[in-house]
Amino acid sequence: MIVATNLCFRTIPTTCTTVKQQKDPPHQLNLVIPTKTKACECFDLHKELIPYEKAWSWQKQIVKQKKSLLQEHEDCPDTLIVLQHNPVYTMGTGSSENYLNFDVKEAPFDVYRTERGGEVTYHGPGQLVMYPIINLRNHKMDLHWYLRTLEEVVIRVLSSTFSIKASRIEGLTGVWVGNQKLAAIGIRVSKWITYHGLALNVTTDLTPFSWIVPCGLRHRQVGSIKGLLQEFQSSRQYAEAIKPFPDDYQLIDISYRSLIKEFSEVFNLEIHQKAITVPEFWREDH
């Protein structure tokens, strides 16, 4: 399930620019579009717990702004938001309540039905959520390509930073390690502007997933980076290779920096960090 002979948590700079592409091995999909590098503003709230409803409203506000820019034939730069959520369940447009293992009127956490695709999932502390709000006209106007490219970002993060061999499963959206799903993806695209995005379980408490049928898949499991690394650490063969084991905060930071780097590379974007503090976020009309 995990392939490595020596696990090394690589140091990745917080502010990343696009790096020169390397040729993908034959077994990998070459999803990178060789176009001129474009700028992408990144709102970094990866250490913060942001209420789902606030972040959802913020995304829709940004989408509206980008549509206005397109109508005025002005440049429409890309945006990336990275954060964590307070515990919450979200459902896609056509999600079935049959996948909830509780009475929705007595839900353990708030439940939101959104306009994204996919079935029910859980968001909570220890899970990094990436919301790319990008203009696919600047990349490739192909939703299949976009979904596979989001998967590619996570697959590269797991491989390059944690030596975890992840893969796709034909017919299913997301990123898997064996039978465990580590990253869920659900998107909405309006006039070729994307929103919603992906959620990667880093140090997430997986218990709340047992109260739903995640993504409507009854015979699949949910996993996390921390859980896999602990399995890895328990192996005598590799026990000495991964000491000291990073704590939860370190794992979140390592994963965040890797996500930014790989997102920048795969989408051929130059990331510009745009600082926003939690007090500023709350003052904004999101």
Side-chain angles (χ1 to χ4, degrees):
M1 186 160 57
I2 303 175
V3 178
T5 55
N6 184 23
L7 182 59
C8 176
F9 299 111
R10 301 184 181 180
T11 301
I12 301 170
T14 301
T15 303
C16 302
T17 56
T18 304
V19 299
K20 186 177 180 180
Q21 300 296 323
Q22 297 179 344
K23 187 175 292 185
D24 291 327
H27 66 278
Q28 291 186 343
L29 294 175
N30 185 10
L31 296 168
V32 180
I33 304 297
T35 57
K36 182 179 179 181
T37 302
K38 293 184 178 293
C40 175
E41 60 179 5
C42 175
F43 292 96
D44 174 15
L45 289 164
H46 82 277
K47 295 181 180 181
E48 310 296 341
L49 294 178
I50 304 299
Y52 184 82
E53 189 173 23
K54 293 283 287 184
W56 185 17
S57 175
W58 188 16
Q59 291 180 75
K60 290 186 285 188
Q61 179 181 319
I62 294 174
V63 170
K64 183 177 180 181
Q65 292 170 349
K66 292 187 185 302
K67 286 181 180 179
S68 296
L69 289 172
L70 289 174
Q71 288 179 348
E72 299 297 326
H73 303 289
E74 296 184 21
D75 186 36
C76 179
D78 293 335
T79 301
L80 177 65
I81 301 170
V82 187
L83 45 71
Q84 298 179 57
H85 282 307
N86 301 101
V88 64
Y89 292 114
T90 67
M91 304 175 70
T93 304
S95 293
S96 171
E97 292 186 10
N98 293 332
Y99 295 132
L100 304 179
N101 296 330
F102 53 78
D103 184 338
V104 71
K105 296 179 181 178
E106 298 179 358
F109 308 118
D110 288 338
V111 179
Y112 291 97
R113 185 177 291 277
T114 76
E115 64 279 287
R116 67 162 174 80
E119 288 290 346
V120 62
T121 195
Y122 166 76
H123 299 304
Q127 182 190 75
L128 285 177
V129 180
M130 294 184 71
Y131 291 130
I133 308 173
I134 65 177
N135 179 10
L136 288 180
R137 294 174 180 82
N138 295 333
H139 299 273
K140 188 173 182 179
M141 295 163 69
D142 182 329
L143 300 189
H144 177 80
W145 171 86
Y146 180 58
L147 289 170
R148 302 293 80 78
T149 306
L150 289 178
E151 292 168 346
E152 183 71 10
V153 171
V154 177
I155 289 170
R156 292 188 182 199
V157 166
L158 295 174
S159 175
S160 66
T161 302
F162 299 105
S163 299
I164 295 174
K165 185 178 180 179
S167 63
R168 301 172 178 85
I169 293 180
E170 187 175 356
L172 301 177
T173 299
V175 176
W176 305 78
V177 178
N179 196 43
Q180 297 183 43
K181 189 172 188 177
L182 266 67
I185 297 174
I187 65 167
R188 177 76 174 187
V189 178
S190 178
K191 297 187 182 299
W192 296 109
I193 304 294
T194 71
Y195 59 118
H196 296 284
L198 69 86
L200 174 62
N201 296 325
V202 182
T203 64
T204 323
D205 176 6
L206 302 180
T207 304
F209 284 103
S210 67
W211 302 332
I212 60 174
V213 180
C215 305
L217 303 174
R218 294 189 183 276
H219 303 294
R220 301 283 181 174
Q221 300 174 359
V222 176
S224 69
I225 292 175
K226 179 180 178 180
L228 290 175
L229 294 180
Q230 287 175 332
E231 288 181 30
F232 190 82
Q233 187 184 38
S234 66
S235 168
R236 286 185 179 181
Q237 182 179 359
Y238 301 118
E240 297 300 322
I242 57 176
K243 289 183 178 179
F245 192 83
D247 62 28
D248 285 6
Y249 295 104
Q250 291 172 323
L251 272 179
I252 288 290
D253 282 341
I254 291 167
S255 300
Y256 165 74
R257 292 195 296 270
S258 185
L259 279 168
I260 293 298
K261 174 184 177 296
E262 300 298 344
F263 181 84
S264 167
E265 180 174 337
V266 172
F267 281 92
N268 199 24
L269 290 168
E270 183 173 330
I271 305 297
H272 296 276
Q273 298 286 347
K274 194 164 183 180
I276 182 170
T277 64
V278 172
E280 288 174 333
F281 178 83
W282 283 105
R283 284 198 298 269
E284 295 289 334
D285 185 22
H286 298 316

